[in-house]
């Protein structure tokens, strides 16, 4: 049985010129950084299309891992009026208010030692507050109810395989139609930080499927490539939403990929120290978990390397914008130091990132280098105009858009 989703705020790409994708990395409390970027983008869209404009109205797919998966759900879950549950500007305050309770800090001189001991016997945090919070905000809403297509990676530790909660794949496999709260808890379950999450779904025939999941960052901390793959599969299936579109025509893709910040080069770890580490060293070093940092950062960078190369090879460089800050130091680079001071510092990093030059990754050094396309806020202003124009074109061409205009 195919699950039908409610009508998306954005008309299908077959009525437009572009396929629009938004991707948000994982990174714990550093989700404040892309939240700040998204608030700016949404404000620019509102200048063009009115105060009720929301991010979900403009993207065919929104993809997020871990903290990015939570942001994805907040942007796309419907409220009682069938509009997005959160405006982008509200997400920053959500992080500032709730992160200190999701990641409570150990105080006093023995705080670091307490964290280390806790990480040896179980996850640093019990996750109970996070579980209650997402359930309170998202209720019983399920994957098929999102206002645009979403793609949220997790990792199944029983089968040692990624499990991708995709609006597209769900149509073929109804067992993926899980509650958004379960999906968010699962994709955020970073090893050593938060406990793994298990739950079940039941399809219309009564068939039960069990999930045993951890953080999607294990497979795809930067989920941009996963989102592109889901769209490509849907095109190859012959979906009417992508009628007469060539999956390799990258000139039709508009992709915005938001990072959550990365440690400044040579500022995080060094080989002389790491050479002496055993299990304990790799699991805990000062305020972070080196093993988790390494696989999440490598996952994000490898995805960026691949997509940058593909868009350049297919003469579509202007269709891909990656916004990332690779200068974080100290507590700023952590995923869980949720002090008021550090959270406010991350907000400042996001605000300053808007004023920094657009960068492309240097494949030899791994550094983000200016590419002569102005600043990130200037690039987002240009893209807001493109997104607004694309939405108007689709509304004019599609029967549903014409009907909606006639009603209004």
């Amino acid at each position: 049985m195919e699950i039908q989703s409610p009508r998306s705020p954005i008309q299908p790409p077959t009525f437009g010129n572009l396929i629009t994708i938004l991707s948000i990395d994982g990174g714990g409390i550093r989700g404040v950084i892309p939240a700040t970027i998204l608030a700016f983008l949404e404000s620019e869209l509102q200048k063009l299309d009115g105060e009720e404009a929301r991010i979900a109205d403009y993207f065919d797919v929104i993809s997020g891992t871990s903290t990015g998966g939570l942001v994805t759900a907040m942007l796309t879950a419907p409220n009682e009026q069938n509009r997005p549950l959160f405006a982008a500007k509200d997400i920053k305050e959500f992080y500032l208010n709730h992160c200190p309770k999701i990641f409570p800090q150990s105080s006093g001189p023995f705080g670091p030692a307490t964290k280390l001991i806790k990480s040896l016997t179980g996850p640093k945090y019990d996750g109970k507050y996070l579980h209650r919070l997402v359930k309170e905000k998202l209720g019983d809403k399920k994957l098929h109810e999102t206002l645009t297509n979403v793609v949220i990676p997790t990792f199944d530790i029983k089968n040692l395989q990624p499990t991708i909660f995709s609006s597209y794949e769900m149509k073929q496999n109804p067992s993926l139609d899980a509650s958004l709260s379960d999906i968010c808890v699962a994709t955020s379950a970073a090893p050593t930080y938060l406990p793994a999450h298990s739950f079940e779904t039941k399809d219309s025939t009564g068939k039960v499927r069990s999930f045993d999941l951890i953080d999607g960052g294990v497979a795809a901390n930067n989920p941009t490539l996963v989102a592109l793959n889901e769209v490509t599969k849907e095109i190859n299936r012959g979906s009417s939403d992508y009628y007469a579109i060539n999956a390799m025509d990258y000139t039709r893709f508009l992709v915005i990929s938001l990072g959550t910040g990365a440690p400044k080069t040579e500022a995080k770890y060094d080989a002389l120290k790491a050479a002496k580490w055993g299990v304990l060293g790799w699991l805990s070093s000062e305020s972070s978990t080196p093993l988790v940092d390494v696989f999440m950062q490598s996952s994000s960078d490898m995805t960026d390397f691949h997509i940058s190369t593909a868009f350049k090879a297919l003469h579509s460089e202007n269709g891909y914008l990656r916004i990332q800050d690779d200068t974080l130091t100290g507590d700023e680079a952590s995923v869980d130091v949720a002090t008021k001071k550090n959270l406010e510092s991350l907000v400042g990093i996001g605000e300053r990132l808007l004023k920094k030059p657009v960068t492309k990754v240097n494949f030899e050094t791994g550094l983000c280098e200016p590419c002569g396309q102005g600043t990130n806020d200037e690039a987002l202003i240009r893209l807001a105009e493109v997104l607004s124009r694309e939405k108007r074109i689709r509304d004019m061409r599609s029967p549903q858009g014409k009907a909606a205009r006639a009603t209004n």
Side-chain angles (χ1 to χ4, degrees):
M1 175 183 175
E2 182 173 308
I3 294 175
Q4 299 293 330
S5 298
R7 184 173 69 85
S8 168
I10 184 171
Q11 300 304 314
T14 191
F15 296 112
N17 300 324
L18 299 170
I19 301 167
T20 55
I21 297 174
L22 171 65
S23 177
I24 309 160
D25 283 16
I29 61 169
R30 300 201 311 265
V32 171
I33 296 173
T36 304
I37 305 298
L38 288 168
F40 176 82
L41 175 59
E42 191 169 88
S43 70
E44 291 302 313
L45 291 167
Q46 289 170 344
K47 290 177 184 178
L48 298 167
D49 297 331
E51 292 184 2
E52 295 305 311
R54 296 290 184 266
I55 293 290
D57 298 336
Y58 299 87
F59 288 94
D60 297 306
V61 185
I62 302 180
S63 183
T65 296
S66 193
T67 196
L70 178 58
V71 173
T72 296
M74 294 167 73
L75 293 172
T76 61
N79 62 16
E80 292 179 355
Q81 290 74 43
N82 209 37
R83 294 295 291 149
L85 197 59
F86 282 79
K89 65 181 177 61
D90 299 326
I91 297 176
K92 179 180 73 174
E93 290 304 316
F94 176 90
Y95 273 78
L96 293 177
N97 290 334
H98 296 291
C99 280
K101 299 173 186 176
I102 297 171
F103 303 109
Q105 303 299 293
S106 300
S107 58
F110 301 108
T114 301
K115 273 190 175 182
L116 174 59
I117 293 170
K118 201 169 184 180
S119 68
L120 296 178
T121 58
K124 288 184 181 179
Y125 311 99
D126 61 25
K128 291 180 180 179
Y129 184 83
L130 176 63
H131 292 205
R132 289 196 304 271
L133 180 65
V134 295
K135 187 66 174 177
E136 173 192 327
K137 299 298 182 183
L138 299 175
D140 296 322
K141 295 178 179 68
K142 291 192 172 184
L143 180 60
H144 76 271
E145 297 180 78
T146 57
L147 294 170
T148 191
N149 299 297
V150 302
V151 176
I152 301 178
T154 65
F155 192 83
D156 189 317
I157 56 173
K158 182 175 284 186
N159 298 313
L160 294 182
Q161 290 288 327
T163 297
I164 311 299
F165 288 93
S166 159
S167 299
Y168 297 122
E169 196 62 34
M170 175 203 66
K171 298 173 186 176
Q172 312 299 319
N173 186 353
S175 68
L176 291 172
D177 189 29
S179 69
L180 289 173
S181 60
D182 278 325
I183 294 172
C184 287
V185 169
T187 194
S188 302
T192 76
Y193 289 96
L194 289 163
H197 187 53
S198 63
F199 60 92
E200 294 180 341
T201 61
K202 184 184 293 186
D203 66 20
S204 60
T205 67
K207 184 178 179 181
V208 174
R209 177 174 176 180
S210 299
F211 296 90
D212 296 86
L213 305 175
I214 59 172
D215 193 333
V218 174
N221 198 55
N222 174 348
T224 313
L225 192 58
V226 179
L228 281 166
N229 185 58
E230 289 297 303
V231 170
T232 300
K233 287 195 297 182
E234 192 70 0
I235 293 173
N236 291 338
R237 287 183 182 122
S239 167
S240 59
D241 284 355
Y242 294 94
Y243 178 74
I245 295 176
N246 182 345
M248 292 306 295
D249 183 4
Y250 272 36
T251 61
R252 295 197 65 168
F253 282 86
L254 174 61
V255 179
I256 301 177
S257 176
L258 304 181
T260 55
K264 185 177 181 180
T265 303
E266 299 177 357
K268 192 68 174 174
Y269 311 112
D270 63 66
L272 289 176
K273 291 182 180 178
K276 302 174 184 178
W277 290 345
V279 173
L280 296 183
W282 280 102
L283 290 179
S284 183
S285 175
E286 298 172 353
S287 63
S288 62
T289 303
L291 194 60
V292 175
D293 287 348
V294 167
F295 71 65
M296 286 190 172
Q297 193 58 47
S298 61
S299 168
S300 294
D301 287 348
M302 287 300 292
T303 297
D304 188 27
F305 291 164
H306 175 86
I307 295 176
S308 295
T309 302
F311 271 78
K312 184 174 183 179
L314 296 170
H315 311 291
S316 307
E317 284 184 272
N318 291 336
Y320 174 59
L321 175 66
R322 172 73 170 169
I323 299 181
Q324 174 71 313
D325 190 316
D326 61 354
T327 64
L328 305 189
T329 59
D331 289 347
E332 298 168 349
S334 76
V335 299
D336 67 328
V337 180
T339 62
K340 180 180 179 181
K341 177 182 177 181
N342 195 41
L343 288 167
E344 290 176 348
S345 176
L346 291 170
V347 172
I349 288 169
E351 292 171 345
R352 291 191 295 275
L353 183 56
L354 285 166
K355 299 299 181 182
K356 289 185 176 182
V358 175
T359 60
K360 298 289 183 183
V361 68
N362 182 316
F363 300 123
E364 293 184 3
T365 65
L367 297 177
C368 298
E369 299 178 350
C371 59
Q373 295 182 12
T375 59
N376 288 315
D377 58 354
E378 291 170 342
L380 289 170
I381 290 170
R382 292 194 297 269
L383 290 179
E385 293 173 351
V386 173
L387 290 166
S388 177
R389 183 167 60 249
E390 174 71 10
K391 181 169 174 58
R392 290 196 300 271
I393 289 171
R394 295 188 192 186
D395 286 343
M396 286 189 294
R397 292 176 179 173
S398 73
Q400 293 91 341
K402 291 176 183 177
R405 289 200 311 279
T407 301
N408 294 332

